Amino acid sequence: MQIADFALERFFARWEFAVEHLLCASDVEGFPMADLLALADDETRGLWDRLRLGYAETTGHPLLRAEIARLYDNVGPDDVLVFVGAGEAIFCLANVLVGSGDHVVVTWPGYQSLYEVARAAGAEVSLHELFDADGWALDVDRLLASLRPNTRLVVVNAPHNPTGMLPSRAEWAQLTGALAERRIHLLSDEVYRYLEFDEADRLPAGADTFDRGISLGVMSKSLAMAGLRIGWLATRDRDLLARCAAFKDYTTICAAAPSEILALIGLRARDAVLARSRGIVAANLPLLDGFFERWAGTFSWVRPKGGSIAFPRLDPAFEIERFAADLVEAEGVLLLPGTRFDHPGNHFRLGYGRSNLPVALDRLDDYARRALR
């Protein structure tokens, strides 16, 4: 397989653990291990204490799959397949679902593997571009107009990375209804689900909407446990899930046994886990509102509707690559230039899921006063 370098991950390989303040992180601040174990019930604490470090079940621990299934309305444990992170799930799905002669539509800007793996598998990919002038809105009519007779898969990430976009329920119903009618699979990347700012805006899960709907989930984002490297696909298309399981034999075979038990603990205690994540985000948003108000005309943003990331824009008079490079050298604060998404609009990804955001934002503010005025 020939595949393009993953520009975003190469960027983080260089910088993520070399800077003091990661102001572009896509996840919520990692949940402390001791706090997670304190949330364990008697059954999961016993599973943890008696754990043997052997191979785990290839499809995922039965109790974990059952707990994941409870996140959905129309999904059972046999409709869930556990992976090592969302990245492996995307890789396996794209390789078994599409190939040469197939067409895929993917929202963009976005996480590179959502479209690059399908390209490497031989499919033709059309990027459904979102525009800040439209509030990063998903244009369902335009997306549906781009479908072809050979379209096999549509990929939508909502809440969206990097913009925080979230379609309306009416838009979601229009899209899922049309794809169901045309028998086209939908990969609904839901890694930021449960971080909607208004819970009334939460969309029905892709796996719940129709039989070819596929939900992608992970412990890394809303659930703040990226270090577990546990992700999953949920779908009622069991034939597709079986083919993904067979392909997974050539990647990781199974997830790490300790990670599965810890993920089970976290999911059983998800109300407390998600309350912590939402609390961090809610505390940081007013600070960002103030920053963009102070810097109106120089920095601008479309305020997100969910997630823990946004995609602001720096005035094009100041080139974002240079500004970000100088900022990290001067203040130890890292922004992610939009060029890492191959996006030309002088945007940058800003993450607000970390508790040290107030300090990092103050340093950005101070540096901007020196460099931009």
Side-chain angles (χ1 to χ4, degrees):
M1 169 184 272
Q2 298 294 319
I3 192 167
D5 282 350
F6 204 137
L8 180 147
E9 296 299 345
R10 290 296 87 211
F11 179 84
F12 279 117
R14 164 66 181 87
W15 288 108
E16 183 171 6
F17 298 100
V19 297
E20 187 175 358
H21 296 288
L22 200 64
L23 195 52
C24 55
S26 63
D27 59 336
V28 176
E29 183 169 327
F31 206 90
M33 177 76 160
D35 293 356
L36 178 60
L37 289 175
L39 294 173
D41 57 26
D42 289 343
E43 181 181 34
T44 53
R45 185 69 213 205
L47 289 171
W48 179 253
D49 289 342
R50 296 189 302 272
L51 184 65
R52 292 180 181 272
L53 298 179
Y55 288 111
E57 295 193 32
T58 60
T59 55
H61 194 291
L63 290 177
L64 177 58
R65 288 189 291 115
E67 200 63 42
I68 292 169
R70 292 188 179 97
L71 300 173
Y72 308 98
D73 295 330
N74 301 317
V75 165
D78 290 339
D79 302 318
V80 174
L81 181 59
V82 174
F83 293 88
V84 178
E88 184 189 29
I90 295 166
F91 187 82
C92 291
L93 177 69
N95 273 282
V96 304
L97 185 57
V98 302
S100 178
D102 294 327
H103 177 241
V104 179
V105 179
V106 185
T107 48
W108 182 84
Y111 195 60
Q112 188 174 342
S113 66
L114 290 173
Y115 51 89
E116 206 67 68
V117 178
R119 281 178 178 161
E124 182 180 355
V125 176
S126 296
L127 298 178
H128 177 75
E129 185 171 0
L130 311 179
F131 300 97
D132 59 352
D134 298 331
W136 300 118
L138 183 72
D139 187 334
V140 177
D141 289 333
R142 177 164 55 88
L143 190 155
L144 293 177
S146 71
L147 300 181
R148 305 174 187 173
N150 64 334
T151 303
R152 295 286 305 279
L153 175 66
V154 171
V155 181
V156 177
N157 167 218
H160 182 251
N161 176 6
T163 70
M165 173 276 293
L166 186 61
S168 70
R169 282 179 163 259
E171 291 166 337
W172 194 240
Q174 179 189 0
L175 176 64
T176 56
L179 296 180
E181 182 178 347
R182 301 186 194 203
R183 305 297 292 163
I184 296 172
H185 281 90
L186 168 70
L187 175 60
S188 178
D189 179 347
E190 298 164 2
V191 300
Y192 291 101
R193 198 161 192 252
Y194 305 108
L195 283 187
E196 302 86 357
F197 302 158
D198 183 344
E199 289 191 23
D201 292 336
R202 186 169 303 144
L203 300 174
D208 287 330
T209 55
F210 66 109
D211 59 354
R212 295 198 179 193
I214 308 160
S215 289
L216 173 69
V218 77
M219 296 300 295
S220 303
K221 308 299 184 184
S222 303
L223 291 159
M225 300 181 194
L228 297 185
R229 310 309 303 135
I230 294 291
W232 61 85
L233 292 176
T235 181
R236 286 173 281 163
D237 187 343
R238 292 191 181 175
D239 175 70
L240 175 62
L241 215 58
R243 287 187 284 142
C244 288
F247 191 90
K248 184 171 173 271
D249 291 340
Y250 285 98
T251 54
T252 61
I253 302 175
C254 65
S259 290
E260 290 198 328
I261 301 306
L262 293 171
L264 174 61
I265 294 169
L267 286 170
R268 285 193 176 177
R270 58 184 169 273
D271 288 346
V273 171
L274 290 167
R276 171 187 177 271
S277 295
R278 286 193 284 258
I280 294 172
V281 166
N284 285 336
L285 277 170
L287 301 179
L288 293 173
D289 287 332
F291 175 86
F292 288 108
E293 182 177 346
R294 289 192 303 276
W295 284 97
T298 304
F299 290 99
S300 60
W301 75 336
V302 176
R303 197 177 195 271
K305 294 183 179 179
S308 57
I309 31 73
F311 205 45
R313 183 173 183 263
L314 176 62
D315 187 314
F318 309 100
E319 197 266 323
I320 186 59
E321 282 274 359
R322 173 58 64 87
F323 179 82
D326 292 345
L327 172 66
V328 74
E329 293 296 336
E331 297 289 346
V333 173
L334 188 67
L335 299 176
L336 176 66
T339 50
R340 303 300 166 169
F341 295 98
D342 203 25
H343 193 275
N346 217 45
H347 292 82
F348 59 96
R349 191 175 74 184
L350 188 152
Y352 48 89
R354 303 292 177 92
S355 60
N356 68 355
L357 178 133
V359 175
L361 196 62
D362 282 346
R363 292 192 181 188
L364 171 60
D365 211 341
D366 289 345
Y367 181 73
R369 288 194 187 97
R370 302 196 304 270
L372 303 180
R373 287 180 174 169

